[in-house]
Amino acid sequence: MTEDSIARAESASTDLTALERQVHELVNNHRTAIGLAPLAYSEEIAASARQHSRDMAMGSVGLGHEGADMRGKSLSRTISFSQFGENVGANNYSRSAAPRTTVSEWLQSSGHRKNIEGNFDLTGVGIAHAGGTFFFTQIFLLTHGSPRPPAKVEHTDAPSPKVEAPSAKSEQDPSDPRRRAGRKRVPGGWVQDIEPAR
């Protein structure tokens, strides 16, 4: 790796971290506006959420909650909690609009809104970016007075905000997620080149 590519990777990582913190802030703004306590932030939870977003971006899992039980069990090894929730989504808006759009769409979905307004106290957000599409995962935990390990990991399996519906123009548009650069068919599925890991 050259110094220039290392600098670009560090810049991309910092940019995504800023977007993750923006999602956290938007969710907390909503919670406090309706009289709920804000959620504390955990980098450990964010790392788990970030990995799921990267897996969705690479196409190794679909846009959804696949592996949520494993994420919950992994987090329970170091964080004692009694409830687990997860929101996922994707969109191909600009960097400045993508976080706000995702949180807005989550708030319009009863299942996602239930998590945002739920009885949780700790969260982490993970974002991956590939082929013009941002992939979002937010994990919610309730840690106060919780047993260890948790009795059951639950997640809302409500529909996630989807990538904008393709138009006739997008059939040739390289930013269309179905035709994005770096996406390759491999035995058993698809792989996607994505921005460097943190």
Side-chain angles (χ1 to χ4, degrees):
M1 236 181 177
T2 66
E3 284 186 32
D4 186 44
S5 62
I6 290 171
R8 280 196 310 271
E10 288 174 351
S11 174
S13 174
T14 301
D15 188 35
L16 291 176
T17 299
L19 297 182
E20 292 166 353
R21 293 305 180 126
Q22 187 179 351
V23 169
H24 176 232
E25 181 180 343
L26 290 166
V27 166
N28 274 346
N29 288 347
H30 174 77
R31 286 179 62 91
T32 56
I34 62 170
L36 297 173
L39 302 170
Y41 198 82
S42 163
E43 185 53 41
E44 182 178 354
I45 297 172
S48 179
R50 200 172 291 129
Q51 184 59 54
H52 183 56
S53 291
R54 290 178 56 76
D55 289 344
M56 290 189 294
M58 290 187 297
S60 56
V61 299
L63 180 62
H65 302 285
E66 186 176 334
D69 290 339
M70 290 189 319
R71 285 186 289 287
K73 286 176 185 171
S74 177
L75 287 168
S76 74
R77 293 185 190 117
T78 54
I79 302 173
S80 179
F81 64 90
S82 59
Q83 290 186 50
F84 175 103
E86 180 178 86
N87 285 351
V88 299
N91 69 56
N92 52 10
Y93 287 89
S94 68
R95 283 183 187 269
S96 61
R100 186 170 299 281
T101 300
T102 293
V103 173
S104 174
E105 289 177 350
W106 281 344
L107 289 170
Q108 293 173 36
S109 159
S110 61
H112 296 93
R113 186 181 189 114
K114 181 179 175 185
N115 281 339
I116 289 173
E117 297 176 356
N119 184 25
F120 299 108
D121 58 9
L122 191 61
T123 193
V125 178
I127 300 175
H129 186 237
T133 301
F134 291 93
F135 295 84
F136 296 81
T137 304
Q138 183 169 15
I139 295 173
F140 305 84
L141 300 180
L142 175 62
T143 62
H144 293 309
S146 61
R148 184 181 168 133
K152 183 178 179 186
V153 173
E154 295 183 15
H155 55 85
T156 301
D157 223 359
S160 298
K162 302 292 187 226
V163 175
E164 291 179 329
S167 63
K169 175 186 170 272
S170 71
E171 291 299 326
Q172 282 103 36
D173 183 355
S175 68
D176 181 345
R178 297 170 302 155
R179 302 187 183 282
R180 58 188 175 211
R183 191 153 175 87
K184 297 177 275 201
R185 182 84 166 144
V186 296
W190 293 83
V191 295
Q192 173 72 44
D193 296 331
I194 63 174
E195 290 181 358
R198 295 167 206 238

